[in-house]
Amino acid sequence: MGLTKQYLAYKPVSSFNIIASARANISFVTISNATGRYVVVAAAEKVLVWDLRIGEKVAEFCRDKQEVTFLRTSPDQKHLAVGYSDGLVELFSVETKQSVCSFASHRSAVSALNFDLLGLKLVSGGLDNDLVVSDVVEQSGRCRLTGHTAPITQCCFMQRFQDVVVSSSKDTQIKFWNIETQCCFKTIVDHRTEVWGIVLMRNDDFLVCGTADTQLSVYKITPITDATVPVVVASEQPESESTVSPFRCTAAGSIQRAGHGRTINLVADANGQVLGCHGTDRQIELFLFCSPEESMKKLTKRMKKLDTNKQSGEESANRQLALTDEIKRLTSIPTPEKVKSFDLLLGSRNELRICCTFVKNFVQLFSLDLNVKKDAEPETLYALQKQGHPSEARTVAFSSDSLAIASGSAESLKLWSRASQTVLRTVDTGGYVVSTCFVPGDRHVLVGLKTGQLLVVDVVPGEVIECIEAHEKELWSIVLTPDKHGCVSGGGDTTVKFWSFELIAASGGQDAAKVLSLLHKNTLKLEETVLSVRISQNGKYIAVALLDTTVKIFFMDSLKFYLSLYGHKLPVVTMDISYDSTLIITGSADRTIKIWGMDFGDCHRSLLAHDNTVTAVQFIPNTHMFFSCAKDGKLKQWDADSFQKIITLPGHLGEAHALAISPNGKYVVSCGSDRTLRLFHRTEEPLVLQDVQEEEREELENATLATGEESTVPGLPGLKLPSKKTIGSEKGAENILECLEVSKQYEEEGGKGPLPPLMFAYSATNTDDFLLTVLSRIRASDLEESLLLLPFNAVCELLERVPKLTTERKDQTELICKVVLFLFRVHQKPIVNNQVLLPVIQKIVQTLQAAVGELRDMVGTNFHAAQMLQRELEENDGCVLFRDATKQRIQRDRRRKRREASKRKLLQIVK
């Protein structure tokens, strides 16, 4: 066997530049008992926790390459639910930063998430028009609620009424669902436009919803009790509603917003006292829902103003509360940009904190003191702005020592530390940056703007020291000359200009320090717009890519025409020349990369490299290998000698705009439309092309389900499981079938002899342990889908093993019950019609009932024994084990110390 060429693998290091994604929401999170200081945001496929006080990232949650679309913290602040664009909901532990469980709930992106009051249930809404209620403790789906005909915009649990979910959708409807019966018992159809958000206020007393107009609709929710049912008039309310719905929902009025455009977000604090909303303008409007006592005071005060005589005072007690008595408008918060999402937090001292994310990639925290009765001015506490570009980065470049990265966007240039991925300098360019290049010595950076200006930036002070009107149109490309004494620029004004570096005296006179400047040497005039310029390393040739799809090569010294490379169907956007000046590669908008010889201009190979426009290509220094990126978001490594693709790196979620390779060839950085800069480094791990190709083929096969997308069972067309079929569920079904087959063969041989290799791999000594191990290793959210894929003969075989499993493994009673009940529910008719299974079913019922009774008795005994031990400990030690009592004692001590400190201060002042 001949020797194969080995390549070294490039692995992702991190992604940076992004502070908060515009697609997902923002939420406060409590870490180390600090409230109002930390916020959790989405950053492309990651979830970041920012400390707003010091402006640093303190935690990171990451899953596969899927964009985060929604996130929500649990009421106890211990868990974080994250919804992704592939419909999966991941539950992370805030303390350990690890995934607790995942729910494959939706077939498209998750658009809404909410926990119940205790954090035990989670409801999620998706763009597939469905709602899924999941059990956090059981780590599996509970039910799927279908009825909306458009994407879900918001969903939440009601607090006063158990197992009731409220949802809103773009189909203009608001629905109330009962989880137990899995049906909708009430629908509000008052709106003519999409309902963009709903929120429950003041312990479910009010339901507020925002639509496409400038008004917020308010509904009053009153419970239906035995005393109120006879009062209802039949003409006003149907009699059937009192038996179906536990409450009455009536329109109470509307709130006129001061902002313009549709309502984008509706957010309430945890207690439902303060409501915040914003539209398409630059302000957040706040409303306070008064307590019933305060509302009655406002009512009596208002009635006294209308009429001060005694009779009207008596009538006022019978008057109903108006919406103006219950809702108070607070000071609006002006914002510097259009708000994308926000969250509210009301502190114990009536301090309201509002954290906002904006389209321009920054986070701001505002504070409003509600104790001030009138004209309370909002205060900006913290802002995260300098950690990233406000807009997409369009170009990147490495310094000569590979320690710094320069990136340019629509308004600024940022210099990053490659080691820590933190911002070193931010330079306001005053224009759209389209090209960057480090000057030898790494003290200066050349920046090309869309207006044609060429900026010279001094890195140390972070200032623009010179602005040169280099071109009349876009300056698309800047490249250094091989002797490092100058540079060449190409622009949209059909010219290529040659510049030399000069040190000139500053304005302080001859004794002042000299600064870098550019001296114009020569101009090459062409017929078409110049898109890219490259110079061969031997300094002999200059290649110019033109808008007419050709690449012209000229002699560097005389600027005489040498070669024309034609063959692309669309303009060449990017190109590069190898270190030995023998190869030139060109990337075009026709999705191809062509490899040419510099000697004769012959095309060695044309590669259909990407699925969209190729935006950047660059050789790895001192090799014939190169990287390419395109608008399909992918980064690929190629070998220009063998014309093979080496590896595809995990690229950007949107388009990839540019890439740069460090001079030592160890690092690659790219920028894209998802606002991230992604850094990769070369490892010492060797790559074999055949293995890489096989892995990519397996990934492609795994992306498509072998059994189809739908979960259907003959005879059960209306089966709607609270999960979707995944690769994990298919593998789980395969493992169960393989386990049953191996167990059957082993038992037919008498159960003697060496264990089968598969059973030995699962560390099982008998077939019962083997089956339970296989079932327990299937993810809880995939178990039902795995059982659904089993054929009926495998179901019968599995049920026949259940009685023995139940009696021998009572520690797995819960798992066995779950499997048996699901199989009975799905395959009820075939099981009932099968006479052979009758004695098996009788045994299952008998053994399972006994096992469940034993488990219930054991749990009850342990619970009451723990209570008794707690009482004994409290009596003996004289201490209270309740956390609430301990917290109250700590608060009392704090208040006492505060009073003592204030007294001491007063004494000092008097003295």
Side-chain angles (χ1 to χ4, degrees):
M1 180 179 174
L3 290 173
T4 58
K5 187 174 181 179
Q6 281 192 343
Y7 305 95
L8 295 179
Y10 280 82
K11 298 285 184 176
V13 178
S14 68
S15 60
F16 51 102
N17 177 62
I18 188 166
I19 300 173
S21 294
R23 184 172 183 183
N25 61 319
I26 186 172
S27 177
F28 280 105
V29 64
T30 301
I31 296 178
S32 302
N33 296 325
T35 307
R37 176 177 173 178
Y38 300 95
V39 293
V40 58
V41 296
E45 74 278 5
K46 294 181 180 179
V47 176
L48 306 178
V49 178
W50 290 97
D51 186 344
L52 294 178
R53 185 175 297 175
I54 60 176
E56 290 184 0
K57 180 175 66 176
V58 295
E60 187 176 289
F61 304 89
C62 192
R63 189 191 148 240
D64 295 337
K65 194 77 178 172
Q66 295 292 337
E67 187 178 8
V68 177
T69 57
F70 206 89
L71 45 89
R72 182 75 68 188
T73 53
S74 62
D76 58 3
Q77 299 292 315
K78 291 183 178 179
H79 294 96
L80 175 67
V82 183
Y84 292 89
S85 57
D86 60 348
L88 193 134
V89 178
E90 195 90 17
L91 199 64
F92 292 96
S93 170
V94 175
E95 184 180 354
T96 62
K97 316 295 184 296
Q98 299 296 322
S99 173
V100 177
C101 62
S102 59
F103 306 104
S105 303
H106 299 277
R107 292 170 179 81
S108 56
V110 178
S111 58
L113 282 172
N114 246 317
F115 285 92
D116 67 343
L117 185 60
L118 299 176
L120 303 179
K121 291 192 284 288
L122 177 69
V123 60
S124 59
L127 301 182
D128 57 356
N129 311 346
D130 290 348
L131 293 162
V132 174
V133 179
S134 305
D135 194 318
V136 175
V137 179
E138 194 180 353
Q139 297 186 1
S140 63
R142 188 166 175 182
C143 61
R144 181 181 293 273
L145 307 173
T146 58
H148 284 291
T149 57
I152 307 296
T153 55
Q154 189 56 271
C155 56
C156 55
F157 283 95
M158 297 191 77
Q159 296 182 5
R160 290 165 62 187
F161 307 98
Q162 287 188 349
D163 293 338
V164 175
V165 171
V166 192
S167 64
S168 63
S169 169
K170 290 184 182 180
D171 61 3
T172 73
Q173 295 179 356
I174 300 172
K175 289 182 179 289
F176 295 83
W177 308 82
N178 190 325
I179 298 176
E180 292 298 327
T181 60
Q182 300 182 19
C183 67
C184 171
F185 62 86
K186 183 186 284 290
T187 304
I188 298 176
V189 291
D190 297 348
H191 306 96
R192 295 187 177 183
T193 55
E194 298 94 341
V195 180
W196 289 100
I198 54 171
V199 68
L200 292 164
M201 302 299 299
R202 213 179 72 183
N203 195 20
D204 296 349
D205 281 344
F206 295 97
L207 172 69
V208 184
C209 55
T211 57
D213 54 17
T214 58
Q215 289 185 341
L216 302 178
S217 303
V218 182
Y219 293 88
K220 180 85 172 175
I221 297 175
T222 53
I224 297 176
T225 59
D226 295 336
T228 58
V229 170
V231 182
V232 177
V233 182
S235 60
E236 295 178 358
Q237 193 76 20
E239 188 179 350
S240 60
E241 185 180 354
S242 63
T243 59
V244 175
S245 174
F247 54 84
R248 185 178 298 108
C249 185
T250 55
S254 61
I255 305 173
Q256 180 63 46
R257 286 177 37 238
H260 303 292
R262 72 170 180 89
T263 305
I264 295 179
N265 271 329
L266 277 179
V267 179
D269 68 313
N271 297 324
Q273 289 180 272
V274 181
L275 170 68
C277 68
H278 73 90
T280 55
D281 52 354
R282 300 182 180 184
Q283 67 171 337
I284 297 175
E285 298 177 63
L286 300 172
F287 303 93
L288 177 67
F289 279 70
C290 304
S291 62
E293 295 79 12
E294 293 176 354
S295 302
M296 289 304 298
K297 286 180 182 178
K298 291 178 72 174
L299 174 63
T300 53
K301 189 175 180 180
R302 181 168 60 88
M303 296 308 297
K304 284 180 181 178
K305 282 185 179 180
L306 292 176
D307 191 0
T308 56
N309 60 35
K310 193 174 181 180
Q311 291 182 353
S312 63
E314 292 174 355
E315 290 176 0
S316 65
N318 299 323
R319 294 289 184 99
Q320 288 188 351
L321 288 166
L323 212 55
T324 53
D325 300 326
E326 310 226 38
I327 302 175
K328 175 186 175 184
R329 186 183 292 269
L330 300 176
T331 307
S332 296
I333 297 178
T335 57
E337 295 290 337
K338 289 184 179 179
V339 181
K340 195 62 187 175
S341 71
F342 72 101
D343 194 20
L344 300 175
L345 185 67
L346 186 60
S348 57
R349 299 180 185 175
N350 270 356
E351 181 196 1
L352 183 67
R353 289 199 172 185
I354 305 102
C355 59
C356 309
T357 62
F358 302 88
V359 180
K360 290 198 171 181
N361 191 29
F362 70 97
V363 176
Q364 206 158 353
L365 180 66
F366 301 95
S367 174
L368 185 67
D369 191 359
L370 300 186
N371 290 323
V372 181
K373 296 298 181 184
K374 290 185 179 180
D375 301 328
E377 288 296 326
E379 177 188 359
T380 303
L381 294 182
Y382 309 108
L384 293 174
Q385 278 181 299
K386 296 180 180 179
Q387 289 83 348
H389 285 286
S391 56
E392 299 173 10
R394 306 294 302 194
T395 174
V396 286
F398 261 106
S399 61
S400 61
D401 56 5
S402 307
L403 294 178
I405 301 169
S407 62
S409 66
E411 61 286 302
S412 63
L413 174 81
K414 283 187 182 289
L415 296 167
W416 305 81
S417 168
R418 190 260 307 156
S420 61
Q421 293 94 49
T422 55
V423 179
L424 301 176
R425 296 286 186 276
T426 300
V427 183
D428 187 9
T429 58
Y432 201 110
V433 180
V434 292
S435 55
T436 53
C437 178
F438 271 93
V439 176
D442 299 332
R443 174 72 187 263
H444 300 84
V445 180
L446 300 178
V447 179
L449 303 182
K450 212 168 188 178
T451 56
Q453 294 174 325
L454 179 60
L455 306 181
V456 182
V457 177
D458 194 339
V459 171
V460 177
E463 296 175 352
V464 178
I465 59 175
E466 189 175 4
C467 178
I468 303 169
E469 298 292 337
H471 294 270
E472 296 176 1
K473 291 184 180 179
E474 301 90 347
L475 203 161
W476 288 119
S477 183
I478 307 173
V479 63
L480 295 177
T481 56
D483 58 4
K484 309 297 182 186
H485 292 166
C487 65
V488 178
S489 64
D493 56 354
T494 72
T495 60
V496 175
K497 293 189 177 182
F498 297 80
W499 310 82
S500 65
F501 297 133
E502 298 286 339
L503 288 173
I504 61 173
S507 57
Q510 294 182 353
D511 296 335
K514 293 186 177 182
V515 295
L516 182 74
S517 180
L518 296 181
L519 183 63
H520 183 215
K521 289 289 188 182
N522 205 350
T523 301
L524 175 63
K525 183 69 177 173
L526 296 157
E527 296 82 14
E528 290 286 344
T529 297
V530 178
L531 297 178
S532 182
V533 177
R534 287 294 180 271
I535 302 173
S536 62
Q537 288 297 315
N538 57 11
K540 194 174 180 181
Y541 306 110
I542 178 171
V544 183
L546 302 177
L547 195 62
D548 61 359
T549 74
T550 64
V551 176
K552 308 286 189 196
I553 301 177
F554 301 88
F555 288 104
M556 187 69 180
D557 50 1
S558 62
L559 298 184
K560 288 186 177 179
F561 176 75
Y562 172 54
L563 285 174
S564 179
L565 309 180
Y566 56 90
H568 283 289
K569 297 178 181 177
L570 290 172
V572 174
V573 179
T574 178
M575 61 181 178
D576 197 18
I577 300 175
S578 63
Y579 74 102
D580 54 3
S581 306
T582 58
L583 295 176
I584 179 172
I585 50 174
T586 56
S588 169
D590 61 5
R591 303 176 296 170
T592 62
I593 295 174
K594 291 184 184 291
I595 304 170
W596 314 77
M598 287 289 287
D599 294 334
F600 306 103
D602 55 325
C603 182
H604 292 180
R605 185 64 62 94
S606 180
L607 305 170
L608 184 58
H610 291 273
D611 299 331
N612 210 326
T613 301
V614 180
T615 53
V617 291
Q618 187 175 347
F619 274 106
I620 300 174
N622 302 321
T623 67
H624 278 181
M625 292 181 289
F626 64 92
F627 276 94
S628 67
C629 67
K631 287 186 177 180
D632 59 1
K634 296 177 182 176
L635 270 77
K636 297 184 179 181
Q637 185 184 1
W638 306 83
D639 192 334
D641 292 330
S642 61
F643 315 119
Q644 286 184 319
K645 186 189 72 172
I646 299 170
I647 194 171
T648 301
L649 295 176
H652 295 267
L653 295 177
E655 300 177 356
H657 294 320
L659 66 84
I661 301 175
S662 62
N664 59 12
K666 291 184 179 179
Y667 299 94
V668 180
V669 65
S670 65
C671 60
S673 62
D674 57 359
R675 298 182 183 239
T676 60
L677 296 176
R678 298 180 185 267
L679 183 65
F680 305 86
H681 74 108
R682 188 175 65 201
T683 62
E684 297 302 320
E685 177 188 343
L687 279 180
V688 181
L689 289 184
Q690 287 81 1
D691 295 346
V692 174
Q693 292 169 1
E694 186 65 30
E695 288 176 6
E696 290 181 355
R697 196 178 301 114
E698 285 181 4
E699 286 181 8
L700 191 62
E701 289 177 358
N702 289 340
T704 56
L705 295 172
T707 56
E709 296 288 338
E710 294 297 324
S711 300
T712 55
V713 177
L716 288 174
L719 184 67
K720 294 174 182 177
L721 294 178
S723 58
K724 69 172 183 179
K725 194 185 298 181
T726 60
I727 302 298
S729 57
E730 285 189 346
K731 287 182 178 178
E734 289 176 5
N735 292 338
I736 294 173
L737 291 173
E738 198 171 14
C739 168
L740 293 173
E741 186 179 352
V742 171
S743 301
K744 188 176 181 181
Q745 289 179 358
Y746 184 63
E747 289 171 352
E748 286 176 354
E749 293 172 0
K752 297 177 182 178
L755 290 173
L758 192 62
M759 194 182 296
F760 185 76
Y762 277 93
S763 302
T765 56
N766 54 55
T767 55
D768 296 334
D769 291 346
F770 183 30
L771 179 58
L772 279 176
T773 306
V774 169
L775 289 173
S776 61
R777 288 195 180 186
I778 300 173
R779 197 169 59 183
S781 57
D782 289 334
L783 181 60
E784 291 187 352
E785 292 283 353
S786 299
L787 296 173
L788 199 62
L789 291 171
L790 296 178
F792 185 67
N793 59 347
V795 171
C796 296
E797 196 174 336
L798 186 60
L799 289 176
E800 288 172 359
R801 296 178 179 271
V802 167
K804 188 180 176 184
L805 287 176
T806 309
T807 53
E808 293 187 359
R809 291 294 301 272
K810 295 188 177 179
D811 57 322
Q812 296 287 347
T813 302
E814 188 179 352
L815 175 63
I816 297 169
C817 281
K818 189 189 295 186
V819 171
V820 170
L821 290 174
F822 181 78
L823 292 177
F824 277 7
R825 189 177 63 178
V826 173
H827 302 283
Q828 181 190 6
K829 291 181 180 178
I831 289 173
V832 170
N833 293 329
N834 193 340
Q835 296 294 327
V836 181
L837 283 179
L838 183 59
V840 176
I841 294 173
Q842 291 174 346
K843 269 188 186 179
I844 289 174
V845 172
Q846 184 180 357
T847 54
L848 268 184
Q849 283 181 346
V852 170
E854 286 183 20
L855 183 64
R856 186 175 60 244
D857 293 342
M858 183 181 66
V859 171
T861 304
N862 291 339
F863 176 69
H864 288 89
Q867 282 187 329
M868 186 184 71
L869 287 174
Q870 179 180 329
R871 286 195 297 271
E872 288 181 0
L873 281 172
E874 290 177 1
E875 290 173 2
N876 294 334
D877 299 342
C879 64
V880 182
L881 298 181
F882 287 106
R883 187 186 301 172
D884 295 340
T886 310
K887 284 184 178 180
Q888 288 177 4
R889 182 172 56 80
I890 293 171
Q891 288 176 359
R892 283 198 303 270
D893 292 343
R894 283 179 181 171
R895 283 196 292 267
R896 180 175 53 79
K897 289 178 181 178
R898 204 177 294 124
R899 284 197 301 269
E900 291 176 358
S902 63
K903 288 177 183 177
R904 286 197 296 269
K905 289 178 184 176
L906 184 62
L907 285 172
Q908 290 173 1
I909 293 170
V910 171
K911 186 177 178 181

